[in-house]
Amino acid sequence: MAQDYSKCYQGFQAILDGDKYECKLVEKSKKKAKEELHEDDKERDAAVEQLRTWIKEQPHLTACTETTFLLQFLRRCKFSQLEARKMFDNFHTKICDQLPFWMCNIDVHKPALRDLITNQRIYVHLPHRDDEGRRIFLCQLGRFDVGKDILYNFHDYIAYSGVTMMVSNREEETQVNGYVIFLDLTDQTMKHMTFMPIEFRRKLFGLFSNQLPARIKSMIMYNAGPVWETMWNLAGHFVSAKIKERMSYCKTMEEVYKLIPMRCLPREYLPDDYNGPCAGNLADIASKKIQEKKQNSKE
């Protein structure tokens, strides 16, 4: 029996644009899309429709076919229909078969998820893009509470990470220019590592590096210690060679500043005597993002 993969996107359906697509890329990104991704303004709609038709012909797929969503796969695969179809199929199959709680039947109003989104704030999309137009995704992996009285389990945590990434990946500028993943590993403990069983961490790593329709251009590991090294030894081999080549380890923030402009970072990551532009305080950034999502859901 065919599974209804469209349920994977329940909870943020309100932000979808429908099929009234209008390209929102700035000119610099349009040029990059053409040169790097083989995107043609005149052929884009036809390419999307070709992929949409193929999806509807697949008896095992009942999936979202909204234009901006499909463009994630086409851009990630440099507009190769064959590769985009393969990734689309694998993406949905692996989610529902191996990690069903990652993006399936998600209720963002569930108390556990609300706690992760509003209180823990492990993942933060920083408001300013870098000089290459890339979205900076801050992951504070030692931040979240792993005590006895928490509302959430690792299923909720994975659902939270999935929704956070996939919502941001609907941004066309991010689809074209990609991500800088800034992993702050400060205060990460064995409790954080064992919160998620290693077999699921391996599956998540494999999906993240091979089946996610996102351009991961850089990964920065800051303040990595023995806990990260242990986890990496157990699951790192599931990460693709391309992603490994784009990984950088930084022991100091001075090293981070060479990879991420200071103007893009939250105040908490900047020197006390720094008076230049920045992204603002983390609490304000997170609060603004939550308000934006609430506003989007009303429109």
Side-chain angles (χ1 to χ4, degrees), residues 128-272:
H128 306 313
R129 298 177 183 275
D130 70 3
D131 298 338
E132 297 181 45
R134 302 178 297 187
R135 172 63 73 197
I136 302 170
F137 195 25
L138 171 62
C139 307
Q140 299 174 298
L141 300 186
R143 175 187 174 93
F144 69 102
D145 188 2
V146 287
K148 294 182 179 179
D149 299 325
I150 58 176
L151 297 174
Y152 47 86
N153 56 33
F154 80 92
H155 287 191
D156 300 316
Y157 175 84
I158 293 177
Y160 163 56
S161 66
V163 168
T164 304
M165 174 64 81
M166 292 308 296
V167 168
S168 69
N169 206 48
R170 298 193 65 81
E171 302 169 337
E172 291 200 83
E173 292 293 324
T174 303
Q175 291 177 9
V176 171
N177 297 304
Y179 289 93
V180 173
I181 309 296
F182 178 24
L183 297 178
D184 180 0
L185 304 168
T186 304
D187 297 328
Q188 192 178 35
T189 67
M190 286 300 294
K191 286 186 177 180
H192 290 105
M193 192 187 82
T194 57
F195 180 72
M196 184 192 304
I198 192 63
E199 63 268 23
F200 288 102
R201 194 180 295 273
R202 287 168 175 166
K203 290 177 182 178
L204 196 63
F205 274 25
L207 175 67
F208 178 78
S209 62
N210 296 311
Q211 306 302 334
L212 192 68
R215 306 188 76 198
I216 310 300
K217 305 302 290 182
S218 174
M219 287 188 67
I220 301 166
M221 274 62 65
Y222 168 64
N223 217 7
V227 174
W228 172 265
E229 291 176 7
T230 299
M231 183 279 299
W232 188 253
N233 289 335
L234 292 171
H237 58 282
F238 285 86
V239 176
S240 69
K242 180 181 289 188
I243 295 296
K244 289 179 180 178
E245 291 175 357
R246 297 175 179 178
M247 294 173 65
S248 302
Y249 284 85
C250 297
K251 294 182 179 180
T252 67
M253 283 305 301
E254 284 70 23
E255 293 176 298
V256 175
Y257 300 151
K258 295 177 181 179
L259 301 173
I260 301 177
M262 296 175 79
R263 65 174 179 80
C264 297
L265 291 167
R267 195 172 303 280
E268 290 86 343
Y269 286 86
L270 296 168
D272 292 339

Side-chain angles (χ1 to χ4, degrees), residues 6 9 11 67 81 88 110 118 123 165 194 197 210 228 246 256 272 280-281 298-299:
S6 62
Y9 316 101
T67 299
Q81 284 288 331
F88 191 93
K110 180 181 178 182
T118 61
Y123 302 117
M165 174 64 81
T194 57
N210 296 311
W228 172 265
R246 297 175 179 178
V256 175
D272 292 339
N281 296 318
K298 293 178 181 178
E299 295 177 349

Side-chain angles (χ1 to χ4, degrees), residues 33-150:
K34 182 176 182 180
E35 294 176 352
E36 295 185 12
L37 309 182
H38 313 303
E39 182 169 342
D40 187 329
D41 284 347
K42 297 179 181 179
E43 301 294 332
R44 184 194 300 112
D45 290 344
V48 170
E49 188 56 36
Q50 188 176 352
L51 179 58
R52 180 182 291 122
T53 299
W54 175 83
I55 293 167
K56 291 180 178 180
E57 291 174 348
Q58 306 311 304
H60 66 293
L61 289 177
T62 306
C64 175
T65 58
E66 182 266 335
T67 299
T68 307
F69 180 73
L70 297 187
L71 279 172
Q72 298 175 78
F73 295 88
L74 287 168
R75 285 168 170 154
R76 171 64 174 77
C77 297
K78 299 185 177 181
F79 275 79
S80 164
Q81 284 288 331
L82 180 62
E83 293 300 318
R85 293 173 184 181
K86 181 180 178 180
M87 176 170 284
F88 191 93
D89 197 355
N90 287 341
F91 176 78
H92 288 79
T93 301
K94 287 182 181 297
I95 286 177
C96 290
D97 290 349
Q98 298 184 25
L99 293 168
F101 36 82
W102 192 61
M103 284 293 290
C104 295
N105 301 318
I106 293 174
D107 178 7
V108 296
H109 298 292
K110 180 181 178 182
L113 277 181
R114 296 311 302 170
D115 185 29
L116 283 165
I117 293 169
T118 61
N119 298 323
Q120 304 300 321
R121 297 197 295 262
I122 307 160
Y123 302 117
V124 181
H125 297 123
L126 300 183
H128 306 313
R129 298 177 183 275
D130 70 3
D131 298 338
E132 297 181 45
R134 302 178 297 187
R135 172 63 73 197
I136 302 170
F137 195 25
L138 171 62
C139 307
Q140 299 174 298
L141 300 186
R143 175 187 174 93
F144 69 102
D145 188 2
V146 287
K148 294 182 179 179
D149 299 325
I150 58 176

Side-chain angles (χ1 to χ4, degrees), residues 4-41:
D4 186 357
Y5 293 102
S6 62
K7 292 180 181 179
C8 296
Y9 316 101
Q10 186 179 21
F12 58 93
Q13 187 72 22
I15 70 169
L16 299 183
D17 299 322
D19 286 333
K20 297 180 181 179
Y21 173 77
E22 180 180 352
C23 183
K24 299 177 181 179
L25 294 172
V26 300
E27 288 304 317
K28 183 177 180 181
S29 297
K30 285 183 179 179
K31 182 179 179 181
K32 180 182 287 187
K34 182 176 182 180
E35 294 176 352
E36 295 185 12
L37 309 182
H38 313 303
E39 182 169 342
D40 187 329
D41 284 347

